[in-house]
Amino acid sequence: MVPWLFLLPALLLFLVFKYIPMAEGIRLSLFEVRPFLGDLWVGLDNYARVLSDERFHNALNNTLILAVGQTAGAMLIGFGLALLLEGTARSLWFVRSAVFLPVVAATAVVGEIWRLLYYPAEGGFLNSLLSWVGLGPSTFLDHPDTSLWSVMAVGIWKGAPYDMVILLAGLAGIDRQLYESAAIDGCTTWQRIRYITLPALRPAITILLTLASIRGLRVFTEVYVLTGGGPAGSTDVWMTRVFSLGFETSELGVASAGSVVLFLVTLLLTLFVQLLRRRREA
Amino acid sequence: MQRRTARTRAAFAAGAMAVGLVVSACSGGAPQGDPNAPIEVWTRSQDDTKKVYEKIFKAFTDKTGIPVNYNPPPYNDFDKRVQERAQAKDLPDLVITDTGSLGPYRKQGFLLEVDRNAFAGQADLVERAWNNGKTADGKYFAVPFSTQAQVLLVRKDWREKLGKPVPKTWDELAALANDFTTKDPDGNGDAKDTFGIVAPGSTDRGYLAWWAANYIWQAGGDILSESGGEYKVAVNTPQTVQAVNWLKGLFCDSKVTLPNALTMVTNDAHNYFEQGKAGIYLTGPYMFTRFDKAPGKDKYEVIPSPAGPSGSTVLGEGEVIYQMAGSVKTAEQKKLAEFLVSQQAQELGMKVDAGQRQVVRLSVNKNVDVKTVYNDPRWDTVAKVYADSARPFPNVPNFQPFRQQTAETLNSLFAKCGNDVAGELNKLAGNLDKELKSQKAAQ
């Protein structure tokens, strides 16, 4: 009884701000939404529209590329940073805080700043840097061939320090004696990473993968601020499509159906990762 | 036992607090249902226009004693917040925003019908402006508040430095844009830091279609053509194809548009004209106040859009007053709407202090004289363009999906620079036709 009472505040807040809206979203996905005229029951029509819409297919494709790219990129760079910045020295603490800054910066602000950095002509900041080494100017966000990669780079820049922190925590838990024994046995650095560090980091990596894949599928703010899904729909992701349908063309029913599909995919993905992990650990 | 009691008590306290939070969240103030609450008004405004509206609403309260609660949502969040409030069945009593929202709002049942004959002062309103509040079935669901026509702003100092004439045709416009892009018109020694045309080419809210519609009409093309109250898709006619090909040339061949145009929304676009990055901008007259500060009043000129193969038609729409459904204060709603189109309120919306922008551009009230109020020849140009060559988007039940899909196709054509313009427009025509049929407005 008492534990439940302690849980009650959180549960009630979740109920009001999460579960009821979620149930409402599922309900709306079955209707043509017209708050003042009465919603019209359309059954699974909204789902059919989402699943057969070419632009949703394109958005799904972009979302997957972005999710995989950002997850892998952020983890690799985060791992590199973690290896570089591991230790207890005071200066490292300072550098780690500085490196962590992108994570705490507001995503919308990050998007606006990167939009300026990416200005696709010679006067742009990044293009000025490129011109020093005889390259560019690159179109970055403003050409369908380069836009998705440019958005991905921002995602990696923002995500890598977060991964670094989790991996640093994982690294701190590794028994130093293992490294010393390995050194005595004549192992190379790579062998130490391969046979000691990576296996020890497995739980941290699983958590990161789960979080990153969910984050990747729900990506919205940076894409919306950077490109609004353009040009030519080349950076349109699932959530920008849902947003556009919901708030620009007022198709709230179809937008809700899109959100429910995303929810189901995220749920399945999370369960899949968990199952995989359990099987490995068993 | 003592400890147990303390813990239990703490848990109850926490639980009670949570219940309190939830209850207070659910019963948050509902001004729409309360007949004694002030009338709630939202406008799609930024800080500089908000102050002008405050002045108008104060005048209304002074005159009628009816208090107004004016606390509009952030400009960029406007549409989202309206939808949120609609879901809560708690819309503001009155909303002033683009006439483009008429279709989506009507479709969702947000609006109260306006009885023109019972609307005080309706005879003082310009007949043409009333069209902005008319829906496809000939009924009125909004009252016009402000109208405008798009005009071309050109960097006069750049043009004169290069010795070019004021552009009167598309060819002259393209040539001027080309010179602005290649001939270092700002004379800073770098020929690559300026561009010809500011084009807000993002698909956000269908911006690109908004901008491109002017040129499509100037070539004699259209998105939808009307005859006898019924519509036909015209986005794949030879004239539209010609216009889109010409526009594509600006983006892809001569590259006279800003390089980041295709992901740019209007709010960003203003900055590039302001900062002297590009010298030609087809936009509304509400930008004068801002551009008079930078690049400077003497640095740019206001001219009618140069003529295309079929004339110089531009978009002439505006803002309208929506009386929202669900309000218990319908009498006050109407009274405020009637005040807003009165000569007094219209003039208050036009005469602004330094740093503010007009919320009424061209008055919808016949008794307001543009010349006397503004005493600015640039506004006379706007009034003339509105009278001679401005037109609105058609009154199909909901124009928004047409605008959105057209913007997406154009954005794709200008981004990929492929050659199959006619093919892509045909594909778009097919989709628009489907939309037209689903709105039951096809011929």
Side-chain angles (χ1 to χ4, degrees):
Chain A
M1 176 62 190
V2 172
W4 280 104
L5 273 174
F6 271 103
L7 266 178
L8 188 68
L11 283 179
L12 271 173
L13 288 174
F14 277 1
L15 182 74
V16 171
F17 294 107
K18 272 199 165 152
Y19 301 128
I20 293 179
M22 237 160 84
E24 180 68 3
I26 295 172
R27 188 187 72 80
L28 288 180
S29 71
L30 303 169
F31 286 87
E32 184 189 327
V33 180
R34 306 180 311 170
F36 285 87
L37 296 174
D39 298 341
L40 288 181
W41 169 263
V42 293
L44 294 176
D45 276 10
N46 290 334
Y47 289 92
R49 267 187 66 185
V50 168
L51 296 174
S52 63
D53 186 346
E54 201 184 303
R55 284 170 300 177
F56 260 109
H57 297 167
N58 172 41
L60 179 65
N61 204 14
N62 291 337
T63 313
L64 289 177
I65 296 176
L66 210 54
V68 171
Q70 284 188 0
T71 307
M75 206 172 297
L76 271 177
I77 295 183
F79 183 57
L81 284 172
L83 289 180
L84 284 174
L85 299 178
E86 195 208 358
T88 47
R90 233 160 217 282
S91 55
L92 279 178
W93 170 83
F94 177 77
V95 176
R96 279 201 294 257
S97 303
V99 170
F100 193 66
L101 274 178
V103 180
V104 285
T107 316
V109 177
V110 166
E112 288 290 352
I113 290 171
W114 274 91
R115 224 181 120 69
L116 291 177
L117 298 179
Y118 272 147
Y119 183 69
E122 287 190 353
F125 179 80
L126 284 178
N127 273 323
S128 306
L129 295 184
L130 283 179
S131 71
W132 289 353
V133 288
L135 294 172
S138 168
T139 50
F140 294 117
L141 298 169
D142 282 79
H143 195 279
D145 294 344
T146 50
S147 53
L148 195 60
W149 308 112
S150 307
V151 171
M152 193 185 286
V154 178
I156 293 174
W157 176 84
K158 192 165 162 51
Y162 180 80
D163 291 6
M164 172 195 81
V165 169
I166 307 266
L167 292 171
L168 269 175
L171 285 178
I174 300 174
D175 189 346
R176 318 285 312 176
Q177 285 181 358
L178 290 172
Y179 289 121
E180 282 159 23
S181 323
I184 291 166
D185 288 345
C187 287
T188 61
T189 310
W190 169 241
Q191 280 170 326
R192 271 183 275 169
I193 292 176
R194 169 80 180 77
Y195 294 106
I196 301 173
T197 317
L198 284 177
L201 285 179
R202 192 178 286 156
I205 290 173
T206 317
I207 289 172
L208 280 180
L209 269 180
T210 317
L211 290 177
S213 51
I214 294 171
R215 195 173 54 196
L217 289 176
R218 297 191 330 188
V219 62
F220 172 72
T221 317
E222 52 259 56
V223 177
Y224 188 69
V225 177
L226 282 169
T227 63
S234 58
T235 56
D236 222 358
V237 288
W238 196 269
M239 279 305 292
T240 54
R241 204 66 241 154
V242 166
F243 181 86
S244 167
L245 275 169
F247 298 114
E248 283 167 10
T249 50
S250 305
E251 302 259 20
L252 284 173
V254 189
S256 302
S259 306
V260 173
V261 172
L262 179 66
F263 167 68
L264 290 176
V265 171
T266 316
L267 187 72
L268 285 177
L269 198 77
T270 317
L271 287 176
F272 176 71
V273 175
Q274 291 296 329
L275 270 178
L276 209 69
R277 196 178 65 140
R278 269 188 211 161
R279 191 173 296 168
R280 278 230 176 137
E281 281 171 4
Chain B
M1 185 65 205
Q2 181 72 29
R3 242 180 101 198
R4 173 83 191 243
T5 320
R7 259 169 64 182
T8 315
R9 208 180 291 149
F12 272 117
M17 205 172 86
V19 172
L21 257 176
V22 170
V23 170
S24 65
C26 294
S27 64
Q32 209 180 10
D34 178 2
N36 299 318
I39 180 161
E40 189 183 18
V41 186
W42 275 13
T43 61
R44 191 183 170 84
S45 289
Q46 286 168 316
D47 283 343
D48 51 355
T49 50
K50 219 155 114 180
K51 291 194 181 99
V52 184
Y53 276 117
E54 276 164 5
K55 212 167 54 179
I56 300 176
F57 297 137
K58 188 178 171 299
F60 172 71
T61 307
D62 290 347
K63 195 172 169 183
T64 60
I66 301 171
V68 173
N69 165 13
Y70 176 59
N71 190 17
Y75 180 82
N76 287 330
D77 263 357
F78 188 84
D79 298 308
K80 206 170 100 199
R81 297 286 180 89
V82 170
Q83 291 296 344
E84 279 170 9
R85 292 282 296 261
Q87 287 309 310
K89 292 211 172 51
D90 179 27
L91 285 166
D93 298 296
L94 210 82
V95 167
I96 303 177
T97 182
D98 299 341
T99 181
S101 295
L102 184 61
Y105 286 2
R106 169 87 200 277
K107 186 181 161 213
Q108 296 174 90
F110 291 179
L111 304 176
L112 295 181
E113 190 177 345
V114 180
D115 180 359
R116 258 185 80 170
N117 297 323
F119 192 86
Q122 72 100 4
D124 290 337
L125 300 191
V126 181
E127 181 57 35
R128 208 174 141 197
W130 268 112
N131 278 335
N132 288 348
K134 192 154 95 178
T135 50
D137 50 8
K139 293 179 177 168
Y140 293 89
F141 275 86
V143 180
F145 177 64
S146 159
T147 55
Q148 69 216 16
Q150 302 241 308
V151 279
L152 198 69
L153 313 189
V154 176
R155 278 298 291 262
K156 189 173 173 223
D157 54 337
W158 292 8
R159 182 181 63 72
E160 286 173 346
K161 182 173 172 280
L162 299 172
K164 303 287 282 187
V166 174
K168 293 218 160 48
T169 63
W170 274 12
D171 288 345
E172 287 174 7
L173 175 69
L176 185 65
N178 203 34
D179 285 358
F180 279 1
T181 309
T182 55
K183 293 193 174 158
D184 188 23
D186 59 354
N188 69 349
D190 183 356
K192 287 179 176 167
D193 69 344
T194 51
F195 294 87
I197 293 176
V198 184
S202 147
T203 54
D204 191 29
R205 298 181 78 229
Y207 273 136
L208 183 56
W210 233 308
W211 177 81
N214 296 289
Y215 297 100
I216 291 175
W217 292 334
Q218 286 167 15
D222 216 329
I223 297 173
L224 299 177
S225 67
E226 185 199 352
S227 104
E230 288 191 319
Y231 296 91
K232 217 168 98 180
V233 173
V235 83
N236 54 347
T237 60
Q239 293 89 338
T240 312
V241 175
Q242 183 190 9
V244 174
N245 263 318
W246 185 75
L247 289 172
K248 198 189 91 178
L250 302 178
F251 284 89
C252 298
D253 305 331
S254 55
K255 298 195 165 92
V256 295
T257 52
L258 278 162
N260 55 348
L262 290 172
T263 51
M264 189 159 66
V265 294
T266 43
N267 229 2
D268 293 339
H270 306 328
N271 296 330
Y272 290 95
F273 190 78
E274 197 168 33
Q275 294 162 5
K277 284 246 179 208
I280 300 171
Y281 191 12
L282 183 68
T283 184
Y286 40 84
M287 296 311 297
F288 293 171
T289 315
R290 180 160 159 189
F291 294 154
D292 283 355
K293 273 190 272 173
K297 193 174 179 177
D298 54 334
K299 298 271 173 55
Y300 73 99
E301 58 202 344
V302 177
I303 59 170
S305 184
S310 182
S312 48
T313 311
V314 285
L315 182 68
E317 285 200 327
E319 282 70 45
V320 292
I321 305 160
Y322 298 107
Q323 297 171 55
M324 306 304 270
S327 171
V328 291
K329 292 187 285 289
T330 42
E332 286 90 340
Q333 268 180 324
K334 186 161 162 273
K335 220 174 227 168
L336 179 53
E338 286 166 352
F339 175 76
L340 285 167
V341 296
S342 68
Q343 187 173 351
Q344 183 195 356
Q346 292 273 300
E347 287 182 0
L348 279 174
M350 294 165 87
K351 289 180 196 156
V352 294
D353 298 331
Q356 299 173 346
R357 276 192 293 157
Q358 293 83 4
V359 298
V360 176
R361 286 86 196 226
L362 293 176
S363 175
V364 295
N365 192 310
K366 283 177 197 159
N367 305 325
V368 178
D369 179 26
V370 177
K371 279 196 165 61
T372 342
V373 177
Y374 286 124
N375 192 21
D376 180 342
R378 300 179 302 177
W379 278 99
D380 300 344
T381 307
V382 179
K384 192 166 173 353
V385 169
Y386 180 72
D388 296 345
S389 42
R391 60 160 282 191
F393 281 123
N395 296 331
V396 277
N398 183 5
F399 193 73
Q400 172 57 23
F402 296 97
R403 183 162 53 222
Q404 190 68 33
Q405 290 186 40
T406 307
E408 282 168 13
T409 299
L410 293 179
N411 186 284
S412 169
L413 279 169
F414 302 157
K416 290 177 179 159
C417 293
N419 284 325
D420 191 18
V421 171
E424 291 295 317
L425 291 180
N426 266 329
K427 206 166 121 193
L428 170 67
N431 291 333
L432 295 189
D433 200 44
K434 259 188 240 161
E435 180 65 39
L436 206 52
K437 287 194 176 106
S438 83
Q439 294 195 15
K440 299 186 177 63
Q443 249 173 9

